[in-house]
Amino acid sequence: MKDAHDIGLIIDSRIPLIALESYEEKRALELLTRVAMKKRLPLFCWSVTEGLNRLGFGHRVVNGDNLCEPEQALAAIKQERDPAVYVLCDLHPYLRDPKIVRFLKDIAFNYQQAPHTVVLLSHAIELPPELNRLSATFNLSLPTEEQTLAIVREEAKAWSKHNGGHKVKSDSSTLQQLVKNLRGLTFDDTRRLVRAAIQDDGAITDADIPEINKAKFQLMDLEGVLSFEYDTEKFSAVGGLHNLKQWLRDRREAFMGRGELDSPKGILLLGVQGGGKSLAAKAVAGMWGVPLLRLDFGALYNKYIGETEKNLREALSLADTMSPCVLWLDEIEKGMAVGQNDDGTSRRVLGTVLTWMAERKTPVFVVATSNDISGLPPELVRKGRLDEIFFVDLPDAEVRREILSIHLEKRRQPLEDFDLERLGDACDGFSGAEIEQAIVSALYTAAAQNQPMANDHLLNEISKTSPLSVVMAEKIAALRAWADERTIPA
């Protein structure tokens, strides 16, 4: 009803051109038919395959048999004097033709004598500048959470009817998660994804959520600007970080819109390379059951020379569309640090991000990761922009043993065959990534010797490794000293 009211207001405002962007052509035509009937205006529809024909009730006024060419159709519309609404489907490829643009301008300028409303209906419309001032843009509304839930029930009922009355299995929590993750899709796309989830096994489970998120990402055509991280982690795969884990657990319900508390905005993970920042970013999305989008600032600058700010705005807008989600700003210092030789791009990028952070209303949780905070501007890292700064330090003895256990179990190695106490002490100063790599190297060595991996294999690899804490001791010491009183240990 809101769509009908809004587009009716545009018509009443005597605006000659309406740009209606939508993939839902059928729904748009049904809406325009209802509006035209209510206003007692004849409605015509043109396409390059069908020509110009009358829709709804009443006799055909314009003969569509010979009006398949857009120039012919526009000439016929220009000659008509009785008020009408004309819907031109997929005219967008012809908007580069000066003659087509001139016809549309003539129709618009002649509105006082022949008050026609021309609706340009397509999935994407880029009007030339001379038509922009004569037009209004309209977008069909997206389904509300109540409407999405109604679609789920309709599809469940249809599946039950065709499967001997068996009911679709699900639970309230999963349905809530599904409805929130379908936000931003059209009615048709929502129905299609819900139907696909149900048809598979007659159930909507937690396992369907990642698949729906991936399908939604593909429908949004986000490739090239953002990457969709399909394999999010569980925090059980992350050693240590107990403060961070508890902080996230305390805020999960608020982020999902349950309760009256403000939704959390985001965190900055600062730390030693290989300490597990990236793994933690993935685990946030896994813990909260939402999609993870990764924006690599290095790639953004390299791939879109001269268009960095534009593509950043597009990426942030698409993250809003994918909400609720986690937006991982990987190695944020590459995009935000403003240097002496900077041409101004970094400052403009910073302004774009800060404006989006201040104005966004959607549940997009930012996880920024950085190896060096010294070059980041203070306005980005202050409280209010992000909720907290966590420091991911080198693991202590207990966490090193936990990391060893995680990676040994991941590779199906029996823990009772290893002296975790001794191994944990031996890899003092190692990051999580370095511990994992020592296990991988020991497995290769054992396989080459045709032996099962043993404690000695692992101790030998550890002894041969010079960890980053030794190779770059001064830089890491300075980073740890800086973080000591300025951040919260993760």
Side-chain angles (χ1 to χ4, degrees), residues 306-323:
E307 295 189 353
T308 302
E309 304 96 284
K310 173 189 171 186
N311 286 280
L312 176 59
R313 286 192 297 272
E314 182 180 352
L316 297 175
S317 173
L318 293 171
D320 286 330
T321 304
M322 279 292 290
S323 65

Side-chain angles (χ1 to χ4, degrees), residues 49-286:
T49 55
E50 298 294 328
L52 189 62
N53 292 285
R54 177 79 179 254
L55 292 182
F57 298 98
H59 64 283
R60 179 185 296 180
V61 177
V62 179
N63 183 0
D65 293 341
N66 299 312
L67 299 178
C68 288
E69 292 300 318
E71 188 177 320
Q72 297 172 333
L74 290 170
I77 295 170
K78 182 179 175 181
Q79 292 172 4
E80 289 290 329
R81 287 293 173 265
D82 294 332
V85 177
Y86 294 90
V87 186
L88 309 181
C89 298
D90 296 330
L91 189 71
H92 61 280
Y94 303 96
L95 292 176
R96 297 179 181 178
D97 185 338
K99 200 166 187 178
I100 298 300
V101 173
R102 184 67 243 184
F103 264 124
L104 289 170
K105 287 179 69 175
D106 289 344
I107 294 168
F109 290 150
N110 200 36
Y111 189 88
Q112 296 297 331
Q113 290 71 38
H116 302 318
T117 301
V118 176
V119 181
L120 306 177
L121 173 58
S122 179
H123 74 287
I125 302 169
E126 186 175 345
L127 290 176
E130 58 265 44
L131 294 180
N132 270 327
R133 291 172 177 256
L134 304 170
S135 66
T137 300
F138 182 80
N139 295 297
L140 295 179
S141 61
L142 299 174
T144 62
E145 290 190 6
E146 291 76 15
Q147 289 170 323
T148 299
L149 189 57
I151 290 172
V152 174
R153 287 171 176 156
E154 288 169 12
E155 290 302 317
K157 187 176 180 181
W159 184 90
S160 178
K161 183 179 179 181
H162 289 90
N163 289 272
H166 295 290
K167 290 188 176 181
V168 173
K169 298 177 183 177
S170 191
D171 60 77
S172 177
S173 176
T174 303
L175 282 179
Q176 266 191 319
Q177 188 72 42
L178 173 71
V179 167
K180 288 187 178 297
N181 285 18
L182 287 170
R183 182 187 306 174
L185 293 177
T186 65
F187 282 83
D188 289 348
D189 289 338
T190 297
R191 189 174 297 279
R192 191 156 42 244
L193 293 191
V194 169
R195 186 177 300 157
I198 293 174
Q199 290 295 332
D200 181 35
D201 54 5
I204 298 175
T205 65
D206 288 340
D208 292 314
I209 302 297
E211 293 294 338
I212 285 176
N213 289 337
K214 185 179 182 183
K216 177 181 176 180
F217 182 86
Q218 292 168 342
L219 284 170
M220 295 295 179
D221 192 25
L222 310 188
E223 291 289 356
V225 180
L226 297 175
S227 61
F228 181 89
E229 297 291 319
Y230 185 64
D231 295 322
T232 53
E233 296 283 351
K234 294 181 180 179
F235 257 123
S236 59
V238 183
L241 308 185
H242 302 299
N243 288 337
L244 175 60
K245 292 174 182 178
Q246 187 59 50
W247 191 94
L248 291 166
R249 277 193 289 267
D250 291 344
R251 288 157 178 77
R252 183 181 189 278
E253 295 300 306
F255 178 73
M256 299 311 296
R258 300 165 192 155
E260 299 179 358
L261 296 176
D262 292 346
S263 179
K265 297 176 180 178
I267 55 176
L268 173 64
L269 298 178
L270 170 70
V272 180
Q273 289 185 0
K277 299 185 298 297
S278 298
L279 198 61
K282 293 181 179 182
V284 174

